[in-house]
């Protein structure tokens, strides 16, 4: 499995959010390309700042649940 570093995602969203680099990092490649496509506007920059704030406040466990490829524990039936 691959755990994502929330701190790296926050820094990428703040400084390279206008290019969608943080979306590529967390595995949302499609959204990353959308951010790149509209990078000539300032909309991805604003969305990057919003994402950085969101990543800061959701907490580490929730961030890992949403964005890391961690297999769920198996529960016997």
């Amino acid at each position: 499995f691959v755990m994502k570093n929330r701190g790296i995602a926050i820094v990428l969203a703040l400084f390279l959010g206008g290019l969608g680099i943080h979306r590529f990092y967390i595995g949302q490649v499609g959204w990353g390309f959308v951010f790149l496509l509209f990078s000539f506007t300032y909309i991805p920059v604003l969305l990057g700042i919003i994402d950085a704030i969101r990543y800061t406040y959701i907490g580490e466990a929730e961030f890992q649940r949403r964005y890391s490829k961690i297999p769920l524990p198996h529960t016997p039936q």
Side-chain angles (χ1 to χ4, degrees):
F1 65 89
V2 178
M3 286 185 65
K4 302 295 181 185
N5 186 311
R6 185 169 58 118
I8 291 174
I10 292 168
V11 170
L12 289 174
L14 284 175
F15 295 106
L16 297 173
L19 299 174
I21 303 302
H22 65 294
R23 293 292 183 144
F24 287 107
Y25 176 73
I26 63 173
Q28 296 178 340
V29 177
W31 277 112
F33 281 116
V34 170
F35 275 54
L36 275 175
L37 183 65
F38 289 98
S39 63
F40 66 92
T41 69
Y42 286 104
I43 295 170
V45 173
L46 177 63
L47 294 176
I49 293 168
I50 291 170
D51 283 342
I53 293 168
R54 220 168 29 93
Y55 300 158
T56 301
Y57 285 102
I58 64 171
E60 185 65 32
E62 182 64 16
F63 180 84
Q64 295 303 328
R65 187 187 70 74
R66 289 184 186 183
Y67 304 116
S68 291
K69 306 295 187 236
I70 299 174
L72 297 173
H74 177 69
T75 55
Q77 298 289 330

